Amino acid sequence: MSDAPQAPVTALLAEHCRGMRFETLPGEVIFSARQCLLDWLGVTLAGAGEALSRMLREDALADGGSPQATLIGSGERVTAKQAALVNGAASHALDYDDVVLAMSGHPSVPVWPALLALAEWRGGSARDVLAAFVAGFEMESRIGMLVMPAHYTVGFHSTGTLGTFGAAAACAHLLGLDQEQWQRALGIAGAQAAGIKSMFGTMCKPLHAGKAAANGLFAALMAERGFTSNPEVLETAQGFAATQTTSPNVERALAGLGERFAVRDTLFKYYAACYGTHETIEGVKRIAERQHLGPATIENIQLVVPKGHLAMCNIQEPATALEGKFSLRFTAALALARGRAGEEQFTDEAVRQPDLVAVRDRVAVVPQEGDWERGTLVSLRTTDGREFSEQVNLNIPAADLDQQWKRLEAKFRSLAIPVVGEGQAETLVQCVASFESAPSVAEL
């Protein structure tokens, strides 16, 4: 698709991420990593009950193998690679997990499942695990900076593609691989990186996250064994950048190494749908609550969204709960008619309910140039001719991490308590809050 970059991007990113140590990482970076862990555990516990998670769990158990790592939500033990696959898919099953714009995708769901499965099997302190997570997060984000936005625009699902590199880097870090092994691990990851956006709204979207986790773990383990690959996978001719983007941006990928950590740019979800719908949900809710409006008072809703949203979350008439999570029109209807968009609102029955369909059909989606930067303009017109608008931009990372932790605790409890009970949920919160002091991941 493009000319290969000239700089040794693979070596430079491997060297940078390989050198990360818990003791030298800023405190806010470690805090952000713990927030990612708490959020990931919550969405995984809740997602483990989904049909797609059950099918994958049954398949793993049917395959058998050494009991190396735990399946979250059931407690059954399978091989580390199987656990990475099943837990990775489960954590993305609800599409309620975190986001980072650098990779235009979900950073935690490919990395935590691979890393925790490896740590449970092969060992490693919580501090080692946190540093490895930051390294994996940085790798997938920096490669995102290299290949975005064209990589996503053309149809690749970056959670699956870039997430494979993130999982490989995190596992390479925990295994203590040398520079040569790191580059080979990234090459093996690049040979497997996959995921296409045409699968949005189906079980294959969360499967991308699971496969990225399992394939990344496999890449690191095979590099440790001496398996070979092209150690310049990112920049080589016919390599990842050359085939996966039309406009590789080496300068952006390498800018500010060690000065700004991508994990600090994490955006967390508080609605159980594609992140591209969140500004719509928030905007409709704000106007409706402020003006005391309901479905009967609305003539139409107009959403002016970044152009890229049309290929991501613009299913016009969703027929399933999963499709509803990728429908700007349906989520606008939910926000107006129900005032919320939690997991319990996304059901196969809800997308067909007459009152929600009636509102959905009064929603128009209009694209604007640019992608993400300006947010979404939500406009509501009432039946008596009044018009109200709200510009919403949810793409700015939180500055107050303590307040964000409180919000994430509340979200975690709402997801975990129905699965494990209030006492166990509280134990998990405290375990993550003090995670860096744990000698291993065993307690978690």
Side-chain angles (χ1 to χ4, degrees):
M1 292 174 63
S2 68
D3 294 332
Q6 299 304 306
V9 184
T10 311
L12 291 171
L13 291 182
E15 181 180 23
H16 170 61
C17 294
R18 179 172 169 258
M20 291 182 180
R21 295 292 179 269
F22 178 89
E23 295 74 18
T24 58
L25 289 171
E28 65 175 18
V29 169
I30 297 300
F31 193 11
S32 295
R34 283 197 285 108
Q35 292 188 349
C36 291
L37 177 57
L38 182 68
D39 192 64
W40 179 81
L41 282 169
V43 297
T44 308
L45 281 167
E50 293 295 295
L52 68 93
S53 304
R54 174 183 52 78
M55 292 180 218
L56 290 171
R57 183 169 62 250
E58 290 172 351
D59 185 68
L61 293 172
D63 280 349
S66 301
Q68 298 165 341
T70 304
L71 295 180
I72 292 178
S74 74
E76 294 158 313
R77 290 173 60 79
V78 293
T79 70
K81 291 191 285 290
Q82 289 170 329
L85 170 63
V86 178
N87 290 337
S91 60
H92 197 42
L94 304 181
D95 221 287
Y96 208 0
D97 47 296
D98 57 23
V99 171
V100 69
L101 297 186
M103 65 178 283
S104 293
H106 303 269
S108 287
V109 291
V111 177
W112 278 125
L115 186 54
L116 291 176
L118 177 61
E120 186 179 0
W121 171 35
R122 297 279 290 267
S125 71
R127 289 188 171 202
D128 291 339
V129 168
L130 284 167
F133 174 75
V134 174
F137 195 117
E138 189 75 8
M139 180 63 74
E140 62 192 358
S141 299
R142 291 284 176 174
I143 299 175
M145 296 176 196
L146 175 69
V147 300
M148 291 301 172
H151 180 70
Y152 195 80
T153 301
V154 77
F156 290 107
H157 180 204
S158 49
T159 303
T161 56
L162 308 183
T164 309
F165 291 101
C171 293
H173 196 287
L174 191 65
L175 290 169
L177 301 190
D178 62 27
Q179 178 73 16
E180 180 186 354
Q181 291 171 317
W182 261 76
Q183 290 184 232
R184 284 195 273 110
L186 294 174
I188 299 167
Q192 305 173 90
I196 48 179
K197 286 163 62 181
S198 60
M199 295 298 148
F200 285 14
T202 77
M203 293 180 180
C204 282
K205 184 176 190 280
L207 178 64
H208 291 162
K211 291 292 286 184
N215 290 346
L217 172 56
F218 172 80
L221 291 171
M222 295 308 292
E224 183 185 42
R225 290 181 182 275
F227 206 85
T228 64
S229 69
N230 190 321
E232 300 173 343
V233 63
L234 297 176
E235 70 272 16
T236 192
Q238 298 187 333
F240 191 75
T243 59
Q244 307 295 305
T245 184
T246 55
S247 52
N249 193 332
V250 174
E251 183 178 355
R252 182 168 177 244
L254 300 178
L257 291 178
E259 298 171 7
R260 176 76 181 182
F261 293 85
V263 71
R264 273 293 287 116
D265 295 328
T266 308
L267 302 170
F268 293 98
K269 288 187 173 185
Y270 301 103
Y271 302 118
C274 173
Y275 198 71
T277 68
H278 284 213
E279 291 170 343
T280 286
I281 297 168
E282 187 70 18
V284 171
K285 282 184 60 181
R286 289 179 189 176
I287 296 172
E289 290 171 3
R290 188 184 306 133
Q291 304 299 330
H292 307 289
L293 302 175
T297 64
I298 299 301
E299 181 177 305
N300 60 61
I301 301 173
Q302 179 176 276
L303 310 173
V304 181
V305 302
K307 184 170 61 175
H309 284 27
L310 271 64
M312 178 174 65
C313 51
N314 194 33
I315 294 177
Q316 293 289 297
E317 299 178 1
T320 66
L322 276 173
E323 288 185 353
K325 291 171 179 279
F326 295 88
S327 174
L328 287 160
R329 300 176 77 212
F330 177 71
T331 52
L334 264 184
L336 180 65
R338 303 289 186 266
R340 54 193 184 276
E343 180 55 32
E344 64 277 9
Q345 275 74 54
F346 289 94
T347 66
D348 291 346
E349 294 74 24
V351 297
R352 296 189 293 269
Q353 286 177 351
D355 66 323
L356 291 175
V357 171
V359 178
R360 181 203 73 193
D361 288 345
R362 300 201 296 274
V363 179
V365 180
V366 179
Q368 65 176 347
E369 289 302 320
D371 198 18
W372 300 100
E373 294 90 348
R374 288 180 291 177
T376 295
L377 177 63
V378 178
S379 299
L380 273 64
R381 181 180 176 84
T382 64
T383 53
D384 59 6
R386 294 175 294 157
E387 294 187 5
F388 304 98
S389 296
E390 184 84 9
Q391 183 78 34
V392 184
N393 189 336
L394 299 180
N395 303 315
I396 302 170
D400 188 339
L401 293 182
D402 291 326
Q403 181 60 34
Q404 181 164 263
W405 176 264
K406 292 177 182 177
R407 292 190 74 187
L408 290 173
E409 275 194 27
K411 175 184 172 182
F412 174 82
R413 290 188 178 96
S414 72
L415 293 169
I417 289 174
V419 182
V420 299
E422 189 171 351
Q424 191 78 334
E426 189 58 37
T427 298
L428 280 166
V429 170
Q430 297 309 315
C431 185
V432 176
S434 59
F435 187 56
E436 55 260 50
S437 63
S440 72
V441 301
E443 181 187 1
L444 182 64

